Amino acid sequence: MIPQNSFTLNTIGIIHSCYKEKFGIPRQPGLVTEATAKLELIPPYNRLDTVDGLDGFSHIWIQFIFHACLNENWKAKVRPPRLGGKAKIGIFATRATHRPNPIGLSVVKIGRIYQEDQRVFIDLYGADLLDGTPVLDIKPYLPYADSISNAEGGFAPAPAEVQKKPVIFSVEAKTQCERYEDLHNKKITTLIKQIIEQDPRPSYLSEQVDREHGIQLWDMNIKWCARNDHFEVLRIEHE
Ligand code: SAM
């Protein structure tokens, strides 16, 4: 007999992230270390009591909902970008976003845990999460149990060896980034470089050069394109 097969889960928090749309978000956490985000606990979990003791840990597991995929169907076999978008493998052998239960899992470095008025926040570094992502649960990362040095990595044995082509900034983009860094004290140049270095283009566009792409970070649209042997950041447009 199948036990209870449907459950109601409550959102315990919301992600505030620099990534305002899916395109450009790295494929796993830790790849873009300069990306900053906050996890905000929502009522009735917005009490420092719920995270008491968490400050002794450097990383947490975040279980979340792929909320930007909720209206899209899942398929039994998918084409992971790591296989060049060519080979198909079973959904449960991948970390694909379109799944029977749209639940994601990311291990993320944490910083300050603090309260402002009635709001409780945890600073996150290197997250792969879209702004507004609903969080179902957080758990401390336990190195003794969660780190397995001899684990097999299947079709993704190591971080993607994307062609780390250099990222070059046009004079206009460089000036815009410098101005932004002076005003906001955020390392936007490094952030943009780390994101574009990952080559976020879908596999079917990965051979195309000179085509303009846009990545939405906060209120900025970063315009860039791939050249033959490098990526070029063209300019930053403000929304
Ligand atoms: N680390 C997580 C996991 O393994 O479950 C996510 C991996 S998934 C391959 C990473 C992609 O999820 C990102 O590139 C981004 O486009 C997408 N993503 C992140 N947050 C999302 C959200 N709230 N809704 C839909 N897609 C999201």
Side-chain angles (χ1 to χ4, degrees), residues 22 25-29 64-69 95 97 104-106 128-130 133:
K22 285 189 282 177
I25 304 180
R27 297 188 170 111
Q28 285 301 335
F64 61 93
I65 297 287
F66 286 117
H67 74 301
C69 302
R95 306 292 283 256
T97 52
L105 178 68
S106 292
D128 57 345
L129 304 169
L130 182 64
T133 295

Side-chain angles (χ1 to χ4, degrees), residues 13-212:
I14 294 286
I15 297 292
H16 303 285
S17 152
C18 58
Y19 300 118
K20 300 296 174 190
E21 60 180 22
K22 285 189 282 177
F23 181 60
I25 304 180
R27 297 188 170 111
Q28 285 301 335
L31 298 172
V32 172
T33 52
E34 212 49 56
T36 52
K38 289 180 201 302
L39 192 165
E40 177 177 3
L41 297 174
I42 61 166
Y45 316 101
N46 58 331
R47 299 160 40 194
L48 283 176
D49 278 355
T50 63
V51 281
D52 188 21
L54 196 60
D55 56 356
F57 295 89
S58 59
H59 292 73
I60 54 173
W61 292 106
I62 301 181
Q63 286 170 296
F64 61 93
I65 297 287
F66 286 117
H67 74 301
C69 302
L70 288 181
N71 298 324
E72 296 157 35
N73 291 332
W74 66 275
K75 294 196 176 90
K77 294 195 97 175
V78 298
R79 299 176 195 273
R82 284 298 296 277
L83 296 176
K86 294 183 183 104
K88 278 190 174 182
I89 54 172
I91 179 69
F92 296 133
T94 76
R95 306 292 283 256
T97 52
H98 295 70
R99 336 182 51 84
N101 291 312
I103 295 176
L105 178 68
S106 292
V107 64
V108 176
K109 182 171 163 56
I110 62 172
R112 213 158 62 94
I113 301 172
Y114 57 99
Q115 182 161 17
E116 276 176 7
D117 303 320
Q118 289 306 304
R119 303 174 73 185
V120 174
F121 298 96
I122 304 173
D123 283 341
L124 308 176
Y125 300 99
D128 57 345
L129 304 169
L130 182 64
D131 189 52
T133 295
V135 174
L136 295 177
D137 202 1
I138 60 184
K139 297 184 186 190
Y141 175 86
L142 299 179
Y144 84 88
D146 295 340
S147 164
I148 302 169
S149 60
N150 60 347
E152 300 283 344
F155 66 86
E161 266 311 316
V162 284
Q163 325 98 332
K164 282 240 169 132
K165 294 181 191 163
V167 179
I168 291 168
F169 288 67
S170 71
V171 174
E172 182 184 1
K174 185 168 181 287
T175 311
Q176 289 177 307
C177 287
E178 284 169 357
R179 199 177 312 136
Y180 186 90
E181 292 188 356
D182 286 345
L183 279 174
H184 300 279
N185 194 26
K186 281 182 182 150
K187 292 188 192 159
I188 185 92
T189 309
T190 312
L191 174 62
I192 294 171
K193 179 174 170 295
Q194 288 184 343
I195 292 171
I196 295 177
E197 257 176 4
Q198 300 293 321
D199 194 353
R201 295 174 296 167
S203 315
Y204 68 92
L205 289 179
S206 63
E207 301 300 318
Q208 276 203 6
V209 289
D210 302 334
R211 178 186 172 130
E212 191 168 297

